Amino acid sequence: MFWRYASETDDGTKYFRGNALDIKEYDTRTAMTAPGGVTESTVAVVTMDNNAYITLDMSKVGTVLNYVVLKAVYNNQTVAVFQKDGEQNDITQVRYKYISTTMNIPIRNFYGFYISRDINDYNRLNALPPSFMSPDEAVNLSGKITSLQNTAGLTQEFGNCGVSDAITYLTDICKIFQWGWKFTLTEDVNGNTNVNVNVYKLIADEARNVAQNGPITFNDSRQDWSDFYLSTDKIEDSEGFPNTAVFKIGDYFKSLQVSKASFTAKGDIVESNVPYPQDGTYPRFAIRKGAVGSGSTWVEYFKSIEYTQSLQKYYGLFSDALDVTIKAKIPYYYIENKYKENGVVWFKQLNAFFYIRSITDYNLSTQECKVKLTKINLLRQK
């Protein structure tokens, strides 16, 4: 088990609003609720490993409780009682030990666990692990499911969902749609930490939509960096960009010509491990075709002309297969506040738009740095 809402940061571990624990292993988590034979009384019996404990900062509670209770979210059933581990007077890190050898976890509509202060108290305890402890340090609860009780004729269970963890899954989805994602933490007026995950296009629409005729116009995502240019350091074949690109989506491979200018004839450009088997088995990644709330499942989208055209439109932007490294002088505040990682920049000295691949060797005193650029053909887009 693990503390569900937590993240490691430069300022220590951030634990999010409320307390919530869950089963860490996806295969076990998805198999907990079975499609047939499950009743309100069905439980998974877990034989716990030695030295099971949780550590809590009880400062907001205001006292060191003698015990705390682990409950199931769905029905508030008591799963385990943890006792204070000996005499402790540091309210910021109180260890509670589980002294039994097994836990009975209700599996009908399993939604995880929470901690309360008493068997008859169904409110979440206003306590989190200490911020100076990682989730693995604060929570040590592991074991093995050894039996199911009160199954009422259980004969089958759900299979796994085809992915190992949510971050890898999100990253793999973004790869096949040319998206990126950003994870940020914010704190509200009450001191509660909230997590935000924003998905964005690798090249923003505001950057790509440029007029075919007339003067070049600029906006927040399409900026003029000509004043920052000092000199050209290197011009070379675009890194990782072949003439014929291979896209790996699960077990499916798709090849597509994306350039005629590269010195690399063929190479992998996207490798995504979303579950997409080609033998007719499941689980299998699919999208919905149609309006939100309606439409139908489009299992073979990645084999369609629509997906091919979306790849051609995006990778056609980089068909010149050209990287340029320049020396530039850029104010630090501009990089921090104005630079858009999904934007493009214009240099009149090079008479072209570019996507910024990296900014390195930045000197705070001189504001000079190296900028690696990939040429982007905005003026060719309709």
Side-chain angles (χ1 to χ4, degrees):
M1 299 179 194
F2 74 112
W3 199 272
R4 187 180 180 100
Y5 302 111
S7 176
E8 299 285 358
T9 73
D10 293 339
D11 298 323
T13 305
K14 292 288 187 180
Y15 292 97
F16 307 151
R17 183 178 311 189
N19 71 65
L21 292 91
D22 213 324
I23 294 171
K24 193 170 189 176
E25 295 78 14
Y26 264 46
D27 286 356
T28 304
R29 178 68 161 80
T30 55
M32 283 295 288
T33 302
V38 174
T39 71
E40 295 284 349
S41 302
T42 305
V43 295
V45 180
V46 180
T47 300
M48 301 299 295
D49 296 335
N50 293 330
N51 196 31
Y53 65 84
I54 56 176
T55 306
L56 298 173
D57 181 349
M58 302 294 282
S59 300
K60 292 184 178 180
V61 179
T63 186
V64 177
L65 301 176
N66 289 323
Y67 65 89
V68 294
V69 180
L70 184 69
K71 291 181 175 291
V73 170
Y74 169 64
N75 59 4
N76 298 309
Q77 179 177 324
T78 295
V79 175
V81 177
F82 293 80
Q83 293 186 355
K84 185 177 65 171
D85 188 13
E87 290 299 320
Q88 302 179 69
N89 58 13
D90 186 352
I91 199 170
T92 66
Q93 49 177 325
V94 184
R95 175 176 290 199
Y96 292 92
K97 191 173 183 179
Y98 186 58
I99 60 175
S100 184
T101 57
T102 60
M103 288 185 184
N104 291 346
I105 301 175
I107 66 174
R108 181 178 175 85
N109 297 324
F110 178 77
Y111 299 134
F113 313 96
Y114 69 94
I115 297 171
S116 74
R117 65 187 303 152
D118 190 82
I119 293 174
N120 298 315
D121 189 334
Y122 306 117
N123 297 306
R124 295 176 187 248
L125 187 69
N126 189 18
L128 301 170
S131 61
F132 51 82
M133 282 189 182
S134 70
D136 289 339
E137 291 176 301
V139 179
N140 185 42
L141 299 176
S142 62
K144 182 178 181 180
I145 297 177
T146 51
S147 66
L148 297 175
Q149 293 182 355
N150 306 318
T151 60
L154 177 67
T155 57
Q156 59 181 333
E157 65 182 18
F158 288 142
N160 67 66
C161 61
V163 297
S164 59
D165 64 84
I167 292 177
T168 300
Y169 186 42
L170 176 60
T171 300
D172 281 336
I173 291 174
C174 287
K175 287 178 181 179
I176 57 181
F177 292 112
Q178 296 77 57
W179 298 339
W181 66 271
K182 181 179 292 186
F183 172 87
T184 57
L185 299 175
T186 57
E187 191 169 289
D188 64 22
V189 294
N190 297 317
N192 298 311
T193 301
N194 302 302
V195 60
N196 305 287
V197 177
N198 297 313
V199 175
Y200 59 89
K201 294 182 179 181
L202 290 179
I203 305 294
D205 289 340
E206 295 80 5
R208 294 171 61 165
N209 298 335
V210 62
Q212 300 300 293
N213 300 301
I216 297 172
T217 59
F218 300 100
N219 55 38
D220 286 345
S221 298
R222 188 170 60 246
Q223 301 177 8
D224 185 353
W225 279 32
S226 301
D227 289 343
F228 302 146
Y229 177 89
L230 294 178
S231 63
T232 298
D233 188 54
K234 182 167 43 176
I235 299 175
E236 57 190 330
D237 199 35
S238 189
E239 180 183 351
F241 197 83
N243 286 329
T244 300
V246 178
F247 300 83
K248 178 183 178 296
I249 303 169
D251 294 338
Y252 175 64
F253 290 85
K254 186 184 192 85
S255 295
L256 185 68
Q257 183 172 344
V258 294
S259 176
K260 295 181 179 179
S262 177
F263 287 103
T264 304
K266 189 173 184 178
D268 297 336
I269 201 167
V270 167
E271 183 173 348
S272 172
N273 292 315
V274 296
Y276 197 62
Q278 296 303 292
D279 57 2
T281 59
Y282 292 88
R284 195 175 190 190
F285 183 79
I287 69 169
R288 297 287 291 175
K289 183 179 183 180
V292 176
S294 63
S296 59
T297 302
W298 198 353
V299 177
E300 304 298 348
Y301 171 69
F302 301 115
K303 300 176 182 179
S304 70
I305 185 63
E306 288 86 351
Y307 184 60
T308 298
Q309 289 172 341
S310 74
L311 295 177
Q312 290 172 330
K313 182 178 181 181
Y314 178 79
Y315 288 99
L317 294 168
F318 307 100
S319 60
D320 282 348
L322 189 67
D323 282 356
V324 179
T325 301
I326 67 167
K327 293 179 181 178
K329 183 176 182 179
I330 312 171
Y332 185 74
Y333 84 87
Y334 199 98
I335 296 175
E336 285 291 300
N337 301 308
K338 299 291 186 179
Y339 162 65
K340 303 291 183 182
E341 60 184 322
N342 64 336
V344 299
V345 296
W346 167 263
F347 287 96
K348 67 181 181 182
Q349 297 87 346
L350 304 171
N351 194 35
F353 281 104
F354 295 87
Y355 174 75
I356 297 177
R357 298 189 75 149
S358 64
I359 299 175
T360 58
D361 300 340
Y362 192 88
N363 187 313
L364 282 172
S365 61
T366 65
Q367 301 181 343
E368 294 183 4
C369 59
K370 288 187 177 182
V371 183
K372 186 170 184 178
L373 309 161
T374 295
K375 189 173 184 294
I376 186 167
N377 300 316
L378 290 188
L379 298 181
R380 297 184 185 180
Q381 299 305 300
K382 294 182 179 180

